[in-house]
Amino acid sequence: DTEVTQTPKHLVMGMTNKKSLKCEQHMGHRAMYWYKQKAKKPPELMFVYSYEKLSINESVPSRFSPECPNSSLLNLHLHALQPEDSALYLCASSQDLSGSPQEQYFGPGTRLTVT
Amino acid sequence: AQSVTQPDIHITVSEGASLELRCNYSYGATPYLFWYVQSPGQGLQLLLKYFSGDTLVQGIKGFEAEFKRSQSSFNLRKPSVHWSDAAEYFCAVGGGTNAGKSTFGDGTTLTVKP
C-alpha cells in the first residue's frame, strides 16, 4: 500500500472556526510533512515530523498547529485563519529523515477555503 | 543554498510528439533530483529520481530524465506524449544536512493538443 490519504477533500471555514485536517499512511514511513500550495505555485513546506517529533517548522503562524499522534497519523489543527490561508494543503510521507533525501509520497490534498 | 529553475512556464505539444521539460539546479555537492507530476486538484506523484549511478534514469509512464553535471541540468523527456500527460510538472532537488527539505522549481504546465 503506497497510499497517503487525506480528509476532508474540501473544507470551507469561517475566520472564527476551529477545524482539523487529517492525514494517514500505512507504509511504515517515519517522516511526515505538511505543505501549503497556492494555485500555479510549487508546494511550500510548513512542517516536518520525524519519529512523531516535530523536526522542521518553517516559521508557520501559530494559527496552524500540527500534531502527530502516532507514526501513521498527522493532523493539522486550524484556528482563526485568514482568507489568504485558502489553498491546497498537501500531506506527504517518506521513509525517514536519516541520510539521503528520499522521495516523498503525497496525498491528494485538502482544498481549504477561508471565508 | 540549493535552488531549482524550470525555465518554461508553459509548454504545448501535440499528442504523439516528443517532449522535453527543462530543469536546472544549483547545489554545491551531488544533488538528489526528483521529477513530480501533479494533475489538477491532485497531489504530487513521483515520476523518477536520481541519486547516483547511471545518469539516464527511467521512470513511470514512459518518462526518462538525464542528469548532466556539467550543465547542472536534469531534463525530463518522453518520446510520445499522450493526452493524459497534460499536467503540472515539478522538478525538485534535495540534499545537504537537512534531509527533510526539498526545493521545488516553479513548475511547467504541459498542455497536449489533440
Side-chain angles (χ1 to χ4, degrees):
Chain A
D1 182 5
T2 57
E3 191 180 0
V4 176
T5 59
Q6 290 187 244
T7 55
K9 287 192 169 196
H10 301 276
L11 178 62
V12 179
M13 60 185 290
M15 289 190 284
T16 58
N17 290 158
K18 284 186 182 181
K19 296 286 185 185
S20 297
L21 309 184
K22 296 185 184 303
C23 173
E24 190 167 8
Q25 56 88 14
H26 294 289
M27 293 177 277
H29 288 173
R30 304 313 298 269
M32 296 186 76
Y33 310 71
W34 279 116
Y35 287 88
K36 173 183 177 181
Q37 187 180 29
K38 293 285 220 179
K40 300 295 183 186
K41 294 292 184 185
E44 300 172 33
L45 185 64
M46 300 174 72
F47 303 103
V48 183
Y49 273 81
S50 175
Y51 289 85
E52 295 107 70
K53 298 252 186 300
L54 185 63
S55 178
I56 298 174
N57 177 341
E58 290 287 271
S59 303
V60 178
S62 60
R63 57 185 184 270
F64 295 92
S65 175
E67 178 196 22
C68 190
N70 60 55
S71 60
S72 300
L73 290 173
L74 185 66
N75 299 323
L76 186 63
H77 302 298
L78 315 172
H79 174 55
L81 294 194
Q82 303 296 310
E84 59 265 28
D85 296 322
S86 299
L88 182 68
Y89 287 83
L90 294 165
C91 174
S93 70
S94 67
Q95 191 98 21
D96 53 40
L97 296 188
S98 61
S100 313
Q102 296 137 16
E103 64 264 35
Q104 296 176 28
Y105 293 80
F106 284 81
T110 294
R111 174 73 60 190
L112 174 67
T113 303
V114 181
T115 61
Chain B
Q2 59 199 39
S3 67
V4 176
T5 301
Q6 292 180 246
D8 305 304
I9 296 173
H10 195 169
I11 282 185
T12 299
V13 299
S14 298
E15 190 167 16
S18 63
L19 171 70
E20 182 169 28
L21 301 182
R22 295 183 292 163
C23 172
N24 295 102
Y25 67 89
S26 173
Y27 186 69
T30 300
Y32 296 83
L33 295 159
F34 309 86
W35 273 102
Y36 291 89
V37 61
Q38 184 177 31
S39 297
Q42 299 297 312
L44 280 70
Q45 181 183 23
L46 180 72
L47 286 174
L48 46 78
K49 64 190 181 201
Y50 172 79
F51 288 172
S52 64
D54 193 347
T55 56
L56 185 62
V57 180
Q58 301 297 321
I60 62 171
K61 305 186 182 193
F63 285 93
E64 67 178 26
E66 187 170 12
F67 171 63
K68 292 186 177 179
R69 184 187 299 276
S70 61
Q71 298 177 19
S72 298
S73 69
F74 188 56
N75 294 347
L76 183 71
R77 301 194 294 248
K78 186 169 185 178
S80 177
V81 168
H82 188 262
W83 64 266
S84 60
D85 293 323
E88 190 78 15
Y89 290 80
F90 292 101
C91 181
V93 62
T97 57
N98 198 334
K101 288 192 181 189
S102 289
T103 300
F104 287 83
D106 285 340
T108 297
T109 303
L110 174 65
T111 298
V112 180
K113 292 191 303 185

